Amino acid sequence: MIHKRKGLFSRFSGSKPSAILRFQARLLKELAVSSSTPKKWRDQVKSILSEAATVIDVRFLYAFLLGEDDKWDFELFWLDEPSPETRTSTEALLTRKLTEDGAYQNIRQFKFIHTVVNAGAPEPRVMAQDFELHARTFQIETPRESGIVGMGLARRGRPHPLERIAIDGTLTSFVNIISALKALSAYTLEVERFATRDPLTNLYNQTSFWDLLEYETSRSKRQKYTFSLLVIDLDNFKAINDSFGHEVGDTFLKAVSVILKNAVRSGDIAARYAGDQFTAILPVCDEGQAHAVAGRIIESVRSYACPTASGTAVKGTVSIGIAVYPDHAGEPKDLFLLADNMVTQAKTCGKDRLSMPSEHDDVEVLKSMGEQSIMILEALANKRIVPYFQPIMDVKTRKIEAYEVLTRIVMPDRVITAAEFIEKAEGMGAIGRLDYQLFEHTLAKVRETKYEGSLFINLSPKALVLSEFMPTIRKMMRDYGLDPSKLIFEITERDTVKNIRLFDKLIHELKQDGFRFAIDDFGSGYSSFQYIKTFSIDFLKVDGAFIRALVGDSTAEKHIVSSIAALAGKLQIKTIAEYVESKEILCEVESAGIDYAQGYFIQKPSPDLF
């Protein structure tokens, strides 16, 4: 016997329109979609079923859809607890209906999932033939999926016209919930994919690489097998970007990612580490096998020709570093540092080749060099390149007339001086980015403190000669409102030896803009006075070795310093003594005729300006 809810249809006789309208309004509340929808969608369907039961004699809702494990599910939502016989006959009915649907008739593997709204409230024992099914198919464009939603009503003949409205409203709400579920689930998967994958190449990204390298190292320790790590760096990739544009550069990077995936095995792990650098983890792979894989990659990249809009084919090469666990290192970070240093070694030896540690290499030294590279890159990423300021004092008046800007990397546990990382930053091509960051932080400090004096700043010659460097510096100065005459670029005498013609032209151009220049470490080379003649210099910073020696027994340094001061005075070039570390040295500097002094006796470098 069919169970009927008492008085249900009597409501249609007196206030049919208002009952349906109230029901429709309640359904609208169930359509709110949020980030919690994927977790709470079953609760929303149960609520829809409860609301629908107030106006129609609905016993269950169902949905046939693709589940999270990519297998099909039949979700049944019962108003009351069905008997085992009711469940079995209903499952058989829905299975038969599915085989009659041309779109789904070939799906054989699926499972039924039962959910009860009023748990413990028994449904009268009924069979499937006592139910009247109403169904609707749904399709979602993004993600492209389809399925079926439906309901089971107590069979009682043709539905009342207002019942039809309630049925349609219920099915529409059900479809909307399922669509939201699928859309948000797909969005979540996409977010997870972008969290682990590089969007350009679809290889694993740097974060995933480190997680997988940690995992592979742990697994190799447990199972006692060897694995290899490749670090792959494109040679001269910046030239491709500069000459042909980033679109061609991106095409080249995607092509290299395909070459990498084709060169490694299906179980190997390929990643885009950063920019034009890739990595590959090769489980159960010794040195010889890794060498063969790296050779295939080098040969394939060498053979590749990247097309351009002009019809020119762009060719490139890669340098590859190899490190093997546990032969070369036993920890993930050390393994990467070694492979990364092998890349540097390959580039130093001419590029377009591979390199791995040999028995003659000092592994600890290589690891130290690699750690320095990572430290510099992390400092740049976290904006830890900061200026420290050391005052420059007028020797006669004892007043602070300017500050020298010194480069520091501020780590959580210590402050690293420029002497510890500048050479490495230049070697790895990061000096331009480092100087940009230093300069921007300096200008921000000047604006914050309203400082109006002069600044001496050591910028690497390798950065100064970059085509985009000075235009960027000029723009920064305009943005911050700094007068070029307030900025004195320091260049070292040792640097000018290698680039004398280039510097002559560069200094001449920048002097026309109002910038000023100082030669640092003056007197340390063999052609010091030649530079005074060649360059239009405003300041000479006397080499610290001479200044420290002013208080010694030798009189030679005193004569040298006095001669430098006298000559500079006649040429209207101001002189600065560095390493003034005591009152005695300051007195000797003044006696020698030096104009300005800086050093620990005056003040140590500080992050504060003033």
Side-chain angles (χ1 to χ4, degrees):
M1 178 172 177
I2 302 295
H3 173 69
K4 293 184 179 179
R5 278 163 178 71
K6 187 176 180 181
L8 176 65
F9 293 107
S10 64
R11 285 197 291 273
F12 283 122
S13 59
S15 56
K16 297 173 186 177
S18 60
I20 296 298
L21 287 174
R22 285 195 298 272
F23 166 65
Q24 293 291 91
R26 290 195 297 271
L27 280 185
L28 288 174
K29 295 179 181 179
E30 300 300 330
L31 297 184
V33 177
S34 69
S35 59
S36 64
T37 296
K39 295 180 180 179
K40 296 183 177 180
W41 75 276
R42 287 187 176 87
D43 291 337
Q44 288 183 286
V45 174
K46 288 162 64 176
S47 181
I48 289 172
L49 179 55
S50 297
E51 291 290 350
T54 63
V55 292
I56 52 178
D57 201 358
V58 60
R59 301 306 178 83
F60 64 84
L61 298 176
Y62 67 88
F64 183 67
L65 66 160
L66 200 60
E68 293 179 358
D69 54 359
D70 288 334
K71 295 182 179 179
W72 289 89
D73 296 330
F74 243 130
E75 296 264 5
L76 269 77
F77 296 83
W78 296 90
L79 185 65
D80 298 322
E81 192 81 51
S83 66
E85 294 84 358
T86 302
R87 283 194 183 203
T88 301
S89 63
T90 303
E91 287 180 4
L93 172 63
L94 293 174
T95 300
R96 187 173 68 254
K97 290 290 186 183
L98 189 67
T99 60
E100 296 171 357
D101 190 318
Y104 303 99
Q105 61 184 2
N106 293 325
I107 299 177
R108 296 285 184 262
Q109 298 294 323
F110 55 85
K111 65 179 178 180
F112 284 93
I113 301 172
H114 295 268
T115 303
V116 180
V117 175
N118 301 316
E123 168 80 31
R125 183 176 296 180
V126 293
M127 302 304 289
Q129 60 266 27
D130 298 320
F131 293 129
E132 179 181 291
L133 299 182
H134 296 265
R136 181 181 297 176
T137 59
F138 68 88
Q139 289 188 335
I140 306 170
E141 290 299 317
T142 306
R144 187 172 293 277
E145 289 188 20
S146 63
I148 304 171
V149 298
M151 60 168 49
L153 297 175
R155 185 180 294 279
R156 56 179 305 277
R158 187 174 181 179
H160 188 283
L162 289 176
E163 283 186 285
R164 184 73 259 176
I165 295 175
I167 291 169
D168 288 343
T170 301
L171 292 177
T172 298
S173 298
F174 200 2
V175 167
N176 281 320
I177 292 297
I178 297 298
S179 299
L181 164 70
K182 289 298 182 181
L184 287 173
S185 295
Y187 172 75
T188 301
L189 289 173
E190 191 71 1
V191 169
E192 290 174 354
R193 187 181 75 81
F194 275 104
T196 60
R197 297 278 181 171
D198 169 57
L200 178 67
T201 63
N202 202 36
L203 298 178
Y204 286 109
N205 61 19
Q206 183 179 138
T207 301
S208 298
F209 161 76
W210 281 109
D211 290 341
L212 293 165
L213 185 60
E214 290 273 1
Y215 171 77
E216 190 58 39
T217 305
S218 299
R219 189 172 71 159
S220 298
K221 284 179 181 177
R222 291 194 307 271
Q223 300 183 12
K224 300 187 184 331
Y225 64 73
T226 296
F227 78 90
S228 297
L229 173 66
L230 308 184
V231 174
I232 304 133
D233 202 272
L234 273 65
D235 299 325
N236 306 316
F237 181 69
K238 185 178 183 299
I240 294 176
N241 268 336
D242 291 347
S243 301
F244 300 96
H246 289 281
E247 186 174 345
V248 171
D250 286 350
T251 300
F252 201 95
L253 289 172
K254 287 189 282 188
V256 171
S257 72
V258 172
I259 289 171
L260 177 57
K261 284 186 284 189
N262 290 338
V264 302
R265 302 162 299 183
S266 60
D268 295 337
I269 300 160
R272 183 185 180 196
Y273 189 80
D276 59 353
Q277 190 174 67
F278 298 82
T279 58
I281 302 170
L282 313 178
V284 195
C285 178
D286 61 21
E287 185 174 306
Q289 294 167 313
H291 193 285
V293 172
R296 288 200 298 271
I297 295 169
I298 288 172
E299 183 59 37
S300 297
V301 174
R302 190 186 294 149
S303 303
Y304 172 71
C306 182
T308 66
S310 64
T312 305
V314 179
K315 310 238 346 155
T317 59
V318 294
S319 296
I320 300 180
I322 302 174
V324 180
Y325 170 90
D327 300 356
H328 299 142
E331 297 300 325
K333 183 178 178 182
D334 293 341
L335 201 68
F336 177 82
L337 294 176
L338 284 173
D340 188 51
N341 270 288
M342 289 300 99
V343 172
T344 303
Q345 190 174 98
K347 287 181 177 291
T348 302
C349 293
K351 305 177 182 178
D352 189 23
R353 65 192 64 213
L354 62 87
S355 182
M356 64 177 65
S358 70
E359 59 184 21
H360 305 294
D361 288 320
D362 187 329
V363 172
E364 290 304 315
V365 171
L366 292 174
K367 283 164 54 178
S368 173
M369 290 171 61
E371 287 172 350
Q372 206 173 42
S373 299
I374 289 180
M375 180 269 292
I376 292 169
L377 291 174
E378 288 180 346
L380 286 167
N382 297 315
K383 297 190 179 300
R384 289 179 174 165
I385 310 298
V386 300
Y388 266 48
F389 303 93
Q390 187 172 37
I392 297 174
M393 184 185 75
D394 187 306
V395 171
K396 291 185 174 61
T397 65
R398 298 295 199 266
K399 290 183 179 180
I400 302 301
E401 297 290 344
Y403 285 85
E404 180 178 356
V405 180
L406 304 170
T407 311
R408 298 288 185 266
I409 292 178
V410 177
M411 303 296 285
D413 57 339
R414 67 190 182 109
V415 176
I416 305 172
T417 62
E420 298 179 63
F421 60 83
I422 285 295
E423 186 175 348
K424 183 65 177 178
E426 289 181 338
M428 60 189 288
I431 193 65
R433 291 169 57 200
L434 188 148
D435 280 341
Y436 286 143
Q437 196 171 118
L438 172 72
F439 201 75
E440 187 164 24
H441 287 171
T442 299
L443 293 180
K445 195 74 172 181
V446 167
R447 184 164 64 183
E448 175 191 334
T449 59
K450 297 181 172 58
Y451 175 68
E452 296 180 351
S454 297
L455 292 172
F456 287 70
I457 187 163
N458 266 292
L459 293 180
S460 166
K462 292 188 178 180
L464 278 171
V465 298
L466 293 174
S467 60
E468 75 278 6
F469 187 80
M470 281 313 302
T472 304
I473 295 298
R474 288 186 181 98
K475 183 180 184 304
M476 286 186 188
M477 294 186 69
R478 287 195 301 270
D479 292 344
Y480 281 89
L482 183 66
D483 183 350
S485 66
K486 299 293 185 181
L487 191 64
I488 299 100
F489 288 124
E490 290 190 28
I491 53 177
T492 64
E493 182 180 326
R494 287 182 290 272
D495 290 321
T496 60
V497 171
K498 303 173 187 176
N499 305 281
I500 189 165
R501 291 183 180 177
L502 180 62
F503 273 106
D504 187 23
K505 181 175 182 293
L506 177 67
I507 291 173
H508 179 72
E509 291 175 354
L510 293 176
K511 289 280 287 184
Q512 289 183 328
D513 291 342
F515 294 99
R516 292 185 288 170
F517 282 83
I519 291 287
D520 197 11
D521 298 333
F522 186 79
S524 60
Y526 296 105
S527 305
S528 300
F529 295 100
Q530 177 67 28
Y531 298 139
I532 297 178
K533 178 183 175 182
T534 303
F535 302 122
S536 178
I537 296 298
D538 302 282
F539 297 89
L540 295 180
K541 299 188 84 170
V542 182
D543 188 84
F546 296 121
I547 302 302
R548 286 196 183 103
L550 289 177
V551 294
D553 295 332
S554 173
T555 58
E557 284 80 1
K558 294 181 182 180
H559 290 310
I560 292 172
V561 173
S562 297
S563 297
I564 291 173
L567 179 61
K570 290 180 179 179
L571 296 174
Q572 297 184 332
I573 299 174
K574 296 295 184 180
T575 50
I576 303 171
E578 294 185 291
Y579 297 100
V580 177
E581 297 171 351
S582 67
K583 183 176 181 180
E584 187 179 4
I585 293 178
L586 178 59
C587 291
E588 291 290 345
V589 163
E590 185 175 13
S591 298
I594 299 293
D595 299 302
Y596 299 99
Q598 69 179 110
Y600 280 14
F601 177 71
I602 298 165
Q603 185 181 305
K604 292 182 178 181
S606 164
D608 299 319
L609 183 56
F610 286 131

